[in-house]
Amino acid sequence: MAVAVLKYISEDEYLALEEAAEEKHEYLSGQIFAMAGSSPEHALITSNAAIEIASLGRPHGCNVYSSDLRIRVEKTGLNTYPDVTLVCGKLIRTAQRPAGATNPTLIVEVLSESTREYDRGEKWRHYQTLASLTDYLLIWQDRPWVEHYVRMVDGAWMYRLIEGSESVVNIESIEGELLLAEVYRGVEFPEPPVLR
């Protein structure tokens, strides 16, 4: 999450600003936060993941949305724009304009150095309150790692770390396998540091 801008504003004021803004902003508890820009690697991984998840979700009546879809977390009031959102079944729109959604099935965040702790920490705590959410994928951009949180039948979350470009993320909610080789297609990782 970037630095807060402006003074305390209502959610209605935020939405009015957001409708006219060229950049996207998160909103929480009366503050808006400018969304950070992304690197070419972030953009490529996001695009690759969206394509792969769309092909897995389509047979199950699911649609993939880009980071232009605003998600409103009803229980906490967070308004945010995940990198990739999968919605299975009918999209439930927010009543306010611009329209957002409240029922993501799967959310993907591609981690960058500036957002990594927020996406893995505070933002994840908000996402956990979404009753519709079954899967949360955190995709690293500097190494072939995916952190996968899966909602279990009892409502608890199970954590999995999937490592290596030849690995597969099993997404039981859509009966699919996300190939890391496809997610990272075209990505060149930085050289690991030399240990002396």
Side-chain angles (χ1 to χ4, degrees):
M1 182 182 282
V3 179
V5 295
L6 298 179
K7 57 180 177 42
Y8 178 90
I9 64 170
S10 70
E11 188 170 2
D12 288 338
E13 289 172 312
Y14 156 73
L15 291 168
L17 289 169
E18 199 67 358
E19 195 162 30
E22 291 184 21
E23 303 90 24
K24 295 180 291 216
H25 301 85
E26 286 192 347
Y27 174 85
L28 180 64
S29 301
Q31 293 187 311
I32 62 172
F33 302 86
M35 301 286 289
S38 66
S39 68
E41 292 78 16
H42 185 286
L44 180 58
I45 292 167
T46 300
S47 176
N48 288 347
I51 290 167
E52 295 304 310
I53 291 168
S55 69
L56 294 174
R58 201 170 291 119
H60 301 279
C62 306
N63 290 309
V64 164
Y65 296 86
S66 73
S67 61
D68 290 328
L69 178 66
R70 181 175 55 86
I71 296 297
R72 184 172 195 283
V73 181
E74 297 286 348
K75 287 190 176 179
T76 68
L78 176 68
N79 285 269
T80 189
Y81 296 85
D83 289 319
V84 179
T85 302
L86 180 77
V87 176
C88 296
K90 184 176 171 62
L91 180 80
I92 300 175
R93 296 172 181 264
T94 58
Q96 312 97 329
R97 292 199 51 80
T102 62
N103 65 320
T105 303
L106 178 148
I107 289 176
V108 173
E109 295 288 5
V110 177
L111 300 178
S112 60
E113 198 169 317
S114 64
T115 65
R116 181 179 303 146
E117 294 311 311
Y118 174 58
D119 289 342
R120 297 175 79 227
E122 184 180 348
K123 187 184 260 188
W124 169 225
R125 285 189 288 280
H126 289 278
Y127 285 160
Q128 287 179 59
T129 69
L130 291 161
S132 61
L133 191 68
T134 61
D135 297 89
Y136 183 46
L137 298 175
L138 295 157
I139 301 177
W140 290 63
Q141 63 176 304
D142 60 350
R143 65 193 74 180
W145 281 14
V146 173
E147 295 180 70
H148 183 194
Y149 288 91
V150 181
R151 188 187 302 266
M152 307 307 290
V153 175
D154 64 0
W157 290 91
M158 182 176 68
Y159 173 83
R160 297 175 181 155
L161 174 63
I162 298 91
E163 301 177 71
S165 57
E166 299 308 313
S167 299
V168 171
V169 179
N170 291 308
I171 306 174
E172 288 97 7
S173 60
I174 52 173
E175 301 170 354
E177 294 184 338
L178 181 64
L179 307 176
L180 266 60
E182 294 301 321
V183 170
Y184 290 106
R185 181 179 293 283
V187 175
E188 293 183 21
F189 296 108
E191 291 293 323
V194 176
L195 301 175
R196 295 176 190 235

